[in-house]
Amino acid sequence: LRDFLLVYNRMTELCFRHCVCNLNYRLLTGREESCLDSCAARLVRANHRLMGAYVGLMPALLQRRAAEHGA
């Protein structure tokens, strides 16, 4: 849960800094909303790809560690 919250907070901050230019208004402009949507989507896709690679590599890493501890 902690890792999820760290990723979420970092993603939120990155997209906010990249997309929101004017803090004088309460609501986002259409351009800012569109930018935030695409920014979040890109980061979510990248995170899914990274997690998929991690899940794919994890069994081999655990097996190697177990072999090292057994030797």
Side-chain angles (χ1 to χ4, degrees), residues 16-51:
F16 183 84
R17 287 179 186 230
H18 178 71
C19 296
V20 178
C21 304
N22 190 349
L23 299 176
N24 292 329
Y25 302 102
R26 184 178 189 141
L27 299 175
L28 296 171
T29 65
R31 185 176 182 198
E32 289 171 335
E33 257 185 75
S34 175
C35 180
L36 287 169
D37 286 343
S38 65
C39 179
R42 274 194 316 268
L43 291 174
V44 166
R45 280 193 306 271
N47 188 42
H48 283 179
R49 288 178 63 197
L50 286 171
M51 291 308 292

Side-chain angles (χ1 to χ4, degrees), residues 2-3 6 11 30 33 42-43 48 51 55-56 59 62 65:
R2 190 180 98 205
D3 290 339
L6 287 172
M11 182 182 79
E33 257 185 75
R42 274 194 316 268
L43 291 174
H48 283 179
M51 291 308 292
V55 167
L62 290 174
R65 282 186 188 165

